[in-house]
Amino acid sequence: MDPDTAEHRKRALRAELRERRQNLTTTERSGATAGLTRNLVDLVTDLSARSVAAYLSTPIEPDTRPFLNWAHAQGLRVLLPISREDGLLDWTTGDGETETEGLFGMPEAVGELLGPIAINDVDLILVPAAAVDASGMRMGWGRGYFDKTLGSMEKCPPVYAVLFDGELVDEVPRERHDQPVDGAVTPSRIVQFS
């Protein structure tokens, strides 16, 4: 696909998905959070993961905080990203409580910076996504942080995108730098791509 066409299609799809997320009711969000948390716990348990790279969700994203609270209570090591100006991600374990506003207004944990390679030691990576298609191709929100991180890893553990049910689509526009995921977790299901 022509890069200009792909980027234009991505922008249009992101706008549509962002609007859909903003229109969710409190009841829909609450139900989605309960289902998502249950499925994330099941995934971590099924994979026997003892360390997970995850993220703090924004107000319009599926809420990862109840899962993160569970993970902390279980003694799992949870790495959370800290955005850098150079497009890479540092990581921290944070304290499970304190947050600040990072680059681009994203919520970030407060804690000791562990550097970009800290993610190499996790058993599972959970990434945000705007949409994922039937082949496992992930479309993010356009900054490229997770694509760069995943693309630079020599040995990558399973990577699962976290999204709402309606964001599993037939096809997403793709560009050369886009990275696929191994699966997706939504409020109603866990999907694995072959």
Side-chain angles (χ1 to χ4, degrees):
M1 177 178 294
D2 172 330
D4 290 338
T5 303
E7 185 54 37
H8 178 74
R9 287 183 52 212
K10 281 182 175 182
R11 269 197 305 276
L13 184 54
R14 285 183 187 119
E16 176 188 328
L17 294 168
R18 192 174 284 114
E19 183 176 343
R20 230 189 279 169
R21 284 181 173 191
Q22 289 168 337
N23 289 332
L24 288 173
T25 66
T26 304
T27 304
E28 289 170 327
R29 273 189 193 289
S30 179
T33 297
L36 180 71
T37 302
R38 190 172 44 254
N39 286 336
L40 286 170
V41 168
D42 287 349
L43 177 65
V44 167
T45 303
D46 291 348
L47 294 176
S48 302
R50 300 300 311 147
S51 61
V52 178
Y55 62 96
L56 295 172
S57 52
T58 66
I60 69 164
E61 288 179 312
D63 189 356
T64 58
R65 283 168 183 77
F67 163 73
L68 296 173
N69 293 338
W70 173 85
H72 282 292
Q74 298 301 307
L76 272 67
R77 182 169 191 255
V78 178
L79 292 183
L80 298 166
I82 307 292
S83 301
R84 295 178 10 170
E85 294 279 351
D86 64 4
L88 298 176
L89 293 172
D90 279 325
W91 298 89
T92 187
T93 54
D95 60 10
E97 302 277 325
T98 315
E99 294 181 21
T100 189
E101 188 173 296
L103 290 178
F104 315 111
M106 302 300 285
E108 292 184 348
V110 175
E112 176 190 355
L113 292 184
L114 303 176
I117 63 168
I119 195 173
N120 290 332
D121 298 327
V122 300
D123 301 320
L124 171 66
I125 300 174
L126 300 174
V127 296
V132 174
D133 73 17
S135 73
M137 187 53 64
R138 170 189 170 270
M139 183 180 79
W141 292 103
R143 302 236 185 254
Y145 279 93
F146 284 98
D147 286 321
K148 282 186 192 116
T149 297
L150 299 175
S152 71
M153 295 180 74
E154 281 183 32
K155 184 176 164 239
C156 198
V159 179
Y160 280 73
V162 177
L163 27 68
F164 289 109
D165 287 307
E167 296 165 350
L168 286 172
V169 298
D170 292 336
E171 184 182 12
V172 296
R174 62 179 69 179
E175 296 175 272
R176 180 176 295 142
H177 64 269
D178 291 332
Q179 296 291 317
V181 293
D182 299 301
V185 183
T186 75
S188 70
R189 58 193 174 142
I190 300 170
V191 179
Q192 284 189 278
F193 304 108
S194 43

